[in-house]
Amino acid sequence: MDATTSGTPAIQYHNIPDQPITAIIVAPVPTFQRNQRHCFGESTPGEFPLAASPSIVLHVLTACNLDPQDLAKLEATCSFFRQPANFAPDYQLSISELAALDMCQKRAIFKPMTEAERQDLKQKCGGSWKLVLRFLLAGEACCRRENSQAIAGPGHSIAVTSKGVVYSFGSNSSGQLGHGTTEEEWRPRPIRSLQGIRIIQAAAGAGRTMLISDAGQVYAFGKDSFGEAEYGVQGTKLVTSPQLVESLKNIFVVQAAIGNFFTAVLSREGRVYTFSWGNDARLGHHTEPNDVEPHPLLGTLENIPVVQIAAGYCYLLALACQPSGMAVYSVGCGLGGKLGHGSRTDEKHPRLIEQFQLLNLQPVVVAAGAWHAAVVGQDGRVCTWGWGRYGCLGHGNEECESVPKVVQALNDVKAVHVATGDYTTFVVSEDGDVYSFGCGESASLGHNAIADGQGNRHANVLTPQLVTSLKQVNERVVQISLTNSIYWNAHTFALTESGKLYAFGAGDKGQLGIELVNNQTERGNPERVDIDLS
């Protein structure tokens, strides 16, 4: 059917005769005067009157959630952003500083602070709200505050939903599951006694669990001690349901780390406290079983705010937020070179790991394994150091490294997260891919179990390998947690962006959250745990 028969008027076409370009362009192109745009002015044409609407500019800066570095660049390039804005609460603050303050006030741990506490934090961070914002954002990024998380503890597991509900499962010989009993649970079960309390952080040690609420309070259960060895003497009693840690009631806590023989907590102001840390001769080792009072970590970190802590075998790492940038400090036992200072000697007080400055690397995430450590840089590079047994450093050998060394095999990968355990390491890329290396015992690396020539089913991996079994779940992984203990068979959790949890490795105590049958003791490939953490 054509246009005529359908009733639609026919389109009229006109022939345009070919002619040279010069014939078509008969009039000269007018020239326009270019006017320079300024940040403020009154009525001159071409000016951009930011100063006429500073409140709108402030709203835009705040709504866009600009990075503190971007706010600083605005101040450096335009005087409008660095001159006093004449807004409450501080009329001397610039637009950029006010935007940073507004974004700080959105953060959960900043909201309940008094004005005096806020000003104290500001001075500790370097005297700028932009630096305070950087401190708060850094803590959220490396610790998954306000987000769901899973913790693969020694024999037992903890899972926290984005709404703050806590599930526990696995070994329960000391009451570390918090259900009021000492019976094992393979099926994830919510801790009923925490109803109405929103949990934002969790830590799991041998026979012990610590939970942190959004109000900064700490609940602990399991072994009634902060410092006994994994198979050492237990506390005076077992606590089978969450109990408020009285000695921490006056400290707003945002993170806890349970190491061998000791425990550390981090306050919202960035101060580190330790329990059972010991004296100068026994750093990281408990001295008294009833040492239940928090002691501030003395030395260089007294006046430098810390955003993340990580505990290993008798040593502690701290990611600090200095005005000049992020830095890592270490203290405790130096065996294997795990403190990162180029030697194997102990450190009585926190000491800056200087190697990152030489590598031109800004640390953003730190992880402490039992005998080795790892860091992710802002540019996505991964550094490891310490005892290299089983290839856990990823450098293609089993040698020790006493200073941080870039994992060259990951040069083409931009990492965003790292997790370490007992001679094992996992790295998560920006795309959600997962790489693992180190000890292959108990199938905790996630690679397909294939027997080698000597009959060993779980081979060690000396360089990073893509965990293809996680690639097959078609989910973007955002967090990995693995057992950090030299006494327990390891298991691993992979948490996806949508809140799905996958588990593999040892499951003899029910710590995978998956029922094992026919005398099975482990899972070689990731399997979905029946729990939604979104």
Side-chain angles (χ1 to χ4, degrees):
M1 181 181 294
D2 57 25
T4 304
T5 58
S6 65
T8 304
I11 299 175
Q12 301 298 314
Y13 294 94
H14 301 276
N15 292 326
I16 301 177
D18 291 335
Q19 53 185 311
I21 299 295
T22 55
I24 298 177
I25 305 175
V26 294
V29 178
T31 58
F32 297 95
Q33 180 180 358
R34 294 182 180 274
N35 292 310
Q36 183 179 0
R37 288 182 179 268
H38 301 285
C39 286
F40 53 92
E42 295 182 0
S43 59
T44 305
E47 291 185 341
F48 187 52
L50 285 178
S53 306
S55 60
I56 296 178
V57 175
L58 177 60
H59 175 74
V60 171
L61 294 181
T62 304
C64 289
N65 290 320
L66 288 184
D67 185 272
Q69 289 181 323
D70 294 330
L71 295 175
K73 289 176 182 177
L74 287 175
E75 285 187 343
T77 56
C78 180
S79 61
F80 169 76
F81 291 99
R82 59 178 179 266
Q83 65 186 9
N86 295 316
F87 281 131
D90 187 340
Y91 293 97
Q92 296 301 312
L93 291 181
S94 67
I95 285 285
S96 295
E97 277 288 280
L98 281 170
L101 176 57
D102 283 352
M103 285 186 275
C104 286
Q105 290 171 339
K106 295 179 181 179
R107 320 329 294 184
I109 68 172
F110 189 84
K111 289 179 182 178
M113 297 178 74
T114 65
E115 182 60 28
E117 291 170 335
R118 292 180 177 184
Q119 291 297 330
D120 182 64
L121 178 60
K122 180 183 177 183
Q123 294 307 312
K124 195 173 182 180
C125 287
S128 165
W129 291 119
K130 294 187 293 295
L131 294 177
V132 174
L133 179 60
R134 186 186 68 172
F135 165 76
L136 296 173
L137 293 176
E140 292 176 3
C142 61
C143 299
R144 292 191 59 79
R145 294 175 192 157
E146 309 297 313
N147 292 312
S148 56
Q149 58 186 276
I151 308 297
H156 76 289
S157 304
I158 304 294
V160 183
T161 72
S162 58
K163 295 181 179 179
V165 178
V166 181
Y167 292 79
S168 62
F169 43 100
S171 176
N172 197 29
S173 58
S174 299
Q176 62 264 43
L177 298 186
H179 300 308
T181 70
T182 56
E183 298 177 0
E184 287 183 4
E185 297 273 354
W186 70 264
R187 193 188 307 274
R189 178 181 169 189
I191 302 179
R192 303 292 183 187
S193 60
L194 291 172
Q195 190 170 2
I197 300 173
R198 183 167 184 254
I199 299 300
I200 62 169
Q201 276 283 304
R208 185 170 178 80
T209 304
M210 297 180 73
L211 304 175
I212 300 168
S213 74
D214 59 353
Q217 295 183 314
V218 181
Y219 299 84
F221 41 100
K223 292 182 181 179
D224 184 33
S225 172
F226 285 102
E228 73 273 349
E230 308 234 351
Y231 280 107
V233 178
Q234 291 184 345
T236 56
K237 63 179 180 179
L238 301 182
V239 180
T240 60
S241 59
Q243 299 293 322
L244 189 66
V245 180
E246 294 291 333
S247 60
L248 290 171
K249 287 181 66 175
N250 295 324
I251 300 174
F252 195 111
V253 176
V254 294
Q255 189 198 349
I258 302 176
N260 297 77
F261 304 101
F262 76 100
T263 299
V265 297
L266 178 65
S267 76
R268 67 178 172 186
E269 297 82 15
R271 192 73 190 271
V272 181
Y273 298 83
T274 61
F275 296 86
S276 300
W277 182 251
N279 54 35
D280 290 347
R282 294 178 58 80
L283 291 170
H285 297 268
H286 71 95
T287 51
E288 297 293 336
N290 59 351
D291 183 6
V292 295
E293 291 297 323
H295 303 286
L297 191 62
L298 303 178
T300 53
L301 290 179
E302 290 184 66
N303 297 307
I304 301 175
V306 172
V307 299
Q308 182 199 0
I309 54 176
Y313 196 89
C314 304
Y315 77 107
L316 181 71
L317 299 179
L319 179 62
C321 193
Q322 301 179 148
S324 59
M326 306 301 291
V328 180
Y329 289 77
S330 62
V331 59
C333 173
L335 285 177
K338 59 182 182 283
L339 295 185
H341 303 302
S343 68
R344 301 185 183 186
T345 58
D346 297 350
E347 293 292 338
K348 298 180 181 180
H349 301 289
R351 179 181 170 186
L352 174 67
I353 300 179
E354 299 176 354
Q355 183 69 10
F356 295 117
Q357 296 173 335
L358 299 176
L359 294 172
N360 193 27
L361 185 143
Q362 281 274 330
V364 293
V365 180
V366 63
W371 295 98
H372 75 292
V375 152
V376 172
Q378 190 175 36
D379 58 5
R381 284 183 291 169
V382 178
C383 287
T384 58
W385 68 97
W387 211 321
R389 193 177 182 187
Y390 304 123
C392 63
L393 301 184
H395 302 308
N397 54 50
E398 298 189 43
E399 298 177 2
C400 295
E401 297 289 345
S402 58
V403 294
K405 181 179 179 180
V406 175
V407 181
Q408 298 294 338
L410 292 172
N411 277 350
D412 296 330
V413 175
K414 185 174 183 181
V416 294
H417 174 69
V418 65
T420 52
D422 179 25
Y423 299 120
T424 51
T425 306
F426 278 76
V427 173
V428 181
S429 76
E430 187 177 44
D431 299 327
D433 290 336
V434 180
Y435 300 80
S436 67
F437 43 99
C439 180
E441 186 178 351
S442 73
S444 62
L445 291 180
H447 304 298
N448 291 329
I450 301 175
D452 61 19
Q454 298 177 345
N456 298 315
R457 289 196 309 117
H458 307 309
N460 301 323
V461 179
L462 302 185
T463 57
Q465 288 188 15
L466 179 68
V467 183
T468 56
S469 55
L470 279 174
K471 188 81 170 175
Q472 294 168 1
V473 304
N474 295 321
E475 290 270 354
R476 183 174 178 270
V477 175
V478 294
Q479 185 218 354
I480 290 286
S481 177
L482 61 154
T483 307
N484 188 12
S485 168
I486 63 175
Y487 297 110
W488 289 82
N489 288 331
H491 68 291
T492 304
F493 286 131
L495 178 63
T496 70
E497 194 170 35
S498 64
K500 296 183 179 67
L501 184 63
Y502 293 85
F504 50 95
D508 53 312
K509 298 293 182 180
Q511 63 265 48
L512 293 179
I514 300 166
E515 186 178 18
L516 301 182
V517 296
N518 299 326
N519 296 320
Q520 290 179 319
T521 60
E522 62 184 40
R523 278 284 194 272
N525 290 316
E527 187 167 330
R528 173 82 185 276
V529 182
D530 188 18
I531 181 174
D532 184 6
L533 300 184
S534 63

